[in-house]
Amino acid sequence: MDLYSGHINRLIDELAALPGIGAKSAQRLAFHMVNMPKDKVERLAKSIVDAKENVRYCRECYTLTDQELCPVCSSRKRDHSMIMVVENARDLAAYEKTGKYMGVYHVLHGAISPMLGIGPNDIRLKELMTRLEGDVTEVIIATNSSLEGETTAMYIGKLIKPTGIRVTRIASGVPVGGDLEYIDEVTLLRALEGRIEL
Ligand code: ZN
């Protein structure tokens, strides 16, 4: 026998399938939503559908954006010859928040992980190599300091080295396994300034 209505069970199942939401949180959220005013629920549902329908990848750096080009790539104030490679859009946002980095980015959407069966072709690496055919003087690899992040950094470094383009890696000092997005701005800037040649 179902303890709750079938509708609530379905909502709980959908919420529990989201990353970072356990069974208890899913229940709490589901009951909260059922008790919310209808217009608020509709606004929430619409914002999810709108985001899904309108957000796309930037044509240049592959971050998530509403336009063909993201604000960073379309800015003339940015140094387009300097590309910082990050694992995901959250890492880009972390560096953007410092307000000190004036180059552009490239978002890989993942990292190489032999254990999880994620290879170079599963992340946006080909797209990065295509960008390097343009006017690029430095590639800063800012993948996380996890095993996957380091593997990815080494792989990209080896790939770019023969092109003669300067390739650097942000300094560690960032805790091992630490996601860039959780690290404070000072540490991020120190890691950027202390970057080393690969
Ligand atoms: Zn972009």
Side-chain angles (χ1 to χ4, degrees):
M1 193 184 71
D2 272 347
L3 284 175
Y4 313 130
S5 88
H7 288 292
I8 288 189
N9 278 336
R10 215 185 110 203
L11 180 56
I12 291 172
D13 286 347
E14 292 290 343
L15 291 168
L18 298 173
I21 299 188
K24 271 194 183 155
S25 298
Q27 275 191 28
R28 205 171 56 232
L29 284 171
F31 285 118
H32 178 77
M33 285 171 186
V34 169
N35 286 315
M36 272 161 70
K38 192 158 181 247
D39 64 316
K40 275 202 172 170
V41 174
E42 279 166 352
R43 219 182 320 150
L44 173 64
K46 190 172 176 320
S47 72
I48 296 172
V49 175
D50 282 353
K52 183 62 203 168
E53 280 175 352
N54 295 303
V55 174
R56 50 176 146 171
Y57 294 117
C58 170
R59 181 162 51 94
E60 280 283 319
C61 74
Y62 294 91
T63 193
L64 298 169
T65 174
D66 292 344
Q67 309 291 328
E68 207 180 332
L69 275 180
C70 75
V72 173
C73 288
S74 56
S75 168
R76 284 161 182 267
K77 290 196 187 124
R78 308 296 289 241
D79 179 356
H80 289 254
S81 72
M82 187 185 265
I83 299 178
M84 182 192 287
V85 179
V86 292
E87 289 183 25
N88 54 53
R90 297 189 310 273
D91 294 342
L92 181 156
Y95 262 102
E96 248 341 73
K97 250 201 277 177
T98 68
K100 295 270 164 57
Y101 174 67
M102 290 315 287
V104 293
Y105 299 90
H106 187 87
V107 183
L108 294 171
H109 292 283
I112 297 170
S113 171
M115 280 228 305
L116 295 173
I118 300 168
N121 290 329
D122 300 315
I123 56 177
R124 301 267 182 182
L125 203 50
K126 262 199 309 270
E127 291 85 346
L128 172 66
M129 297 314 284
T130 307
R131 288 179 75 186
L132 300 189
E133 289 164 15
D135 212 0
V136 177
T137 53
E138 181 178 353
V139 175
I140 303 166
I141 305 175
T143 50
N144 293 339
S145 56
S146 61
L147 181 61
E148 291 80 12
E150 293 297 348
T151 306
T152 308
M154 250 186 325
Y155 188 90
I156 298 177
K158 272 192 199 145
L159 214 56
I160 296 178
K161 214 72 221 253
T163 66
I165 295 169
R166 185 182 182 208
V167 53
T168 54
R169 171 88 172 111
I170 55 164
S172 46
V174 177
V176 173
D179 269 320
L180 279 185
E181 58 173 322
Y182 297 123
I183 295 158
D184 68 88
E185 294 170 23
V186 177
T187 310
L188 279 181
L189 285 175
R190 210 176 288 146
L192 178 60
E193 277 158 16
R195 65 188 186 272
I196 48 160
E197 306 282 337
L198 278 186

